[in-house]
Amino acid sequence: MPAVRDGVRGAVITGWGSALPPKVLTNKDLEGMFDTNDEWIVERTGIRERRVGGTTAGLSVESGRQAMEMAGIEPAAIDALILATTTPDRRVPATASTVQHELGLTCGAFDVNAACSGWVYGLVTAHGLIAMGAEKVLLIGTDTLARITDWDDRNTAVLFADGSGASVIEAVDGPGQLLGWDLDSDGSAERFLYAEIDGFLMMEGREVFRRAVRIMVDSATKSLAHAGVKAEDIALVVPHQANIRIISAAMDRLGLPMERASVVLDRTGNTSSASIPLALNEALEQGRVSDGDLVLFVGFGAGMSAASAVVRWSTDVDEHQP
Ligand code: ACO
C-alpha cells in the first residue's frame, strides 16, 4: 500500500498562488437564466456565487507566477511543471506546454486529468519526481468548467465554475511534509459524470453525491492509516469544493467538526482541479495553518476518482536540512 517509505527524499510546499476570473455570476444571475432560485442553490449546495471566464492557460500563468514569486525562485530553477486540468485549452498540445512557455520555464511540462482529484494526483506525482532527483516542481490545478457547462441545464449550471491554484514544491533533505497518500479510481462509475469530446458535462447528481461521501471517507481513512495518524489529530481538512452537504457529511463520518474544514465554495462554486489549492491557499492566507499542523487533502471527481494526502505542514526548507 502507498505509505511514504522511510529514506525517500521529501519535499515541502514553499509558495502558492490563486487566480479567479473577474466576472462574478451570482445565484440571482442564474435565476434569470433558468428555473431556479437563490434559496434552493444555497440550501442544496452552499454556493452563493462563482467566477467564470478566462482560459486554462491564462489562469494557470497567473497563479503559477504568484507561487514562484512567493517561493522566491526563478523560472529556470523549476524542474517540472504539472498542470492538473480536466479542461485543456486544446486537444493537442497539453495546456502545460503553453503555460511552460508563458512562464519562461525551461523544464518538462505535462497535464494530469483526474477530474476534481487532479491536484492531489499532481501532488503525489510531484513527490515521485522529487524522490527521483527533481529539486523544484510547479504544480498548478486549473479548470474552466464554464466552457463545458450547458447554461440551460439547472442540474449542472448551478455548480460549476472557473479558477486556478498553484503550488511550488521543493525537495528537502529531511523527511518532508508528505506522510501518507492514496489515489483511487472506479471506472465502472464513469457514466455518472462525464463530458464527451466537445460535449457538455452530464451528471447524475444524486448518484455522484452518494458515492462522493463514501469514496472521500474511504480515501481519507487510507491516507490517515498510512500516515499513522488519527482523524482527530488533523488540524485542517482541505476537501474538494463540490457541495457543502458533501463536505459536511464526510467531516461527520470522519468524526471531525466542520470548523476544521476549509470552505471557499460559497464564493467559487466547483472549480474541479483548482478547488483544493484555492481552499488551501485561503486557509494559509488566513493564518489557519501553523508549522507542525497535520493537514488532510481529500478530493473526488469524475472517473470516479478519489485522492487524499496527509501532510505535516512546514514551509521552512532549511529546517529540514540535516
Ligand atoms: N434549482 C431548483 N430546483 C432544482 C434544481 C435547481 N438548480 N436542480 C434540481 N432541482 C429540483 C429537482 O428537479 C427536484 O425536484 P422534484 O423533487 O420536484 O423532482 C428537486 O430539486 C431535488 O432534486 P435532486 O436532484 O434530488 O437534488 P439534490 O438534493 O440531490 O441536489 C445536486 C442536486 C446539488 C446536484 C446534488 O445531487 C449534488 O451536489 N450532487 C453531487 C454533484 C457533484 O459533486 N458533482 C461534481 C463532482 S466533481 C467533478 O468531477 C466535476
Side-chain angles (χ1 to χ4, degrees), residues 34-37 40-41 44-45 115-116 145 154-155 158-160 193 201 203-209 212 240 242-243 245-246 270 272 300-302 304:
F34 43 78
D35 181 19
T36 192
N37 58 77
W40 189 95
I41 302 171
R44 308 306 290 173
T45 72
C116 308
L145 295 174
R154 70 177 185 172
N155 292 315
V158 296
L159 301 174
F160 299 121
L193 180 56
L201 276 166
M203 184 181 73
E204 282 188 35
R206 260 182 248 184
E207 190 58 34
V208 173
F209 190 114
H240 170 45
N243 184 320
R245 292 186 296 134
I246 292 175
N270 180 346
S272 194
F300 71 92
M304 286 189 68

Side-chain angles (χ1 to χ4, degrees), residues 10-307:
V12 300
I13 296 173
T14 56
W16 48 91
S18 300
L20 292 170
K23 183 171 178 198
V24 178
L25 202 55
T26 65
N27 291 349
K28 272 265 171 273
D29 294 329
L30 298 181
E31 285 181 10
M33 295 162 64
F34 43 78
D35 181 19
T36 192
N37 58 77
D38 174 59
E39 197 188 354
W40 189 95
I41 302 171
V42 172
E43 192 194 309
R44 308 306 290 173
T45 72
I47 299 167
R48 293 179 183 276
E49 62 182 40
R50 69 285 290 145
R51 303 292 191 94
V52 293
T55 63
T56 294
L59 292 169
S60 301
V61 168
E62 198 182 329
S63 67
R65 189 169 281 134
Q66 277 175 36
M68 286 195 297
E69 278 171 15
M70 183 176 173
I73 54 173
E74 295 300 320
I78 298 286
D79 293 319
L81 167 64
I82 305 171
L83 175 59
T85 188
T86 310
T87 46
D89 289 334
R90 291 187 286 178
R91 218 174 282 185
V92 178
T95 304
S97 299
T98 312
V99 177
Q100 185 250 21
H101 175 64
E102 291 187 22
L103 284 175
L105 310 184
T106 50
C107 57
F110 58 99
D111 289 2
V112 166
N113 179 351
C116 308
S117 310
W119 185 86
V120 180
Y121 267 74
L123 181 74
V124 174
T125 305
H127 279 79
L129 290 170
I130 284 169
M132 289 190 291
E135 293 291 333
K136 298 178 196 331
V137 177
L138 179 59
L139 167 63
I140 307 178
T142 306
D143 265 304
T144 46
L145 295 174
R147 297 189 301 184
I148 59 165
T149 298
D150 178 354
W151 290 98
D152 292 324
D153 175 12
R154 70 177 185 172
N155 292 315
T156 51
V158 296
L159 301 174
F160 299 121
D162 305 335
S164 177
S167 316
V168 169
I169 303 167
E170 297 192 50
V172 291
D173 290 328
Q177 286 181 331
L178 187 66
L179 304 181
W181 57 276
D182 172 66
L183 305 180
D184 289 320
S185 181
D186 176 8
S188 71
E190 64 178 25
R191 66 188 180 282
F192 299 122
L193 180 56
Y194 63 92
E196 299 293 355
I197 301 272
D198 298 329
F200 290 131
L201 276 166
M202 308 298 287
M203 184 181 73
E204 282 188 35
R206 260 182 248 184
E207 190 58 34
V208 173
F209 190 114
R210 206 174 60 77
R211 286 167 184 262
V213 176
R214 192 179 72 228
I215 64 179
M216 277 176 94
V217 173
D218 282 354
S219 183
T221 303
K222 285 188 233 172
S223 281
L224 290 166
H226 296 153
V229 300
K230 295 190 167 58
E232 63 257 34
D233 300 329
I234 298 294
L236 184 77
V237 178
V238 186
H240 170 45
Q241 309 283 307
N243 184 320
I244 195 70
R245 292 186 296 134
I246 292 175
I247 295 174
S248 168
M251 292 295 285
D252 198 45
R253 289 196 197 174
L254 287 168
L256 292 172
M258 265 305 267
E259 301 81 71
R260 280 196 226 171
S262 178
V263 175
V264 296
L265 62 79
D266 50 316
R267 288 150 287 138
T268 64
N270 180 346
T271 57
S272 194
S273 309
S275 98
I276 290 179
L278 285 172
L280 169 66
N281 296 353
E282 181 170 285
L284 292 168
E285 281 152 23
Q286 292 176 342
R288 290 182 66 187
V289 188
S290 305
D291 276 10
D293 279 353
L294 290 174
V295 180
L296 168 67
F297 302 110
V298 57
F300 71 92
M304 286 189 68
S305 65

Side-chain angles (χ1 to χ4, degrees), residues 12 172-175 291-292 312-322:
V12 300
V172 291
D173 290 328
D291 276 10
R312 186 177 297 285
W313 190 258
S314 164
T315 49
D316 190 347
V317 176
D318 294 333
E319 187 188 290
H320 291 260
Q321 305 298 333

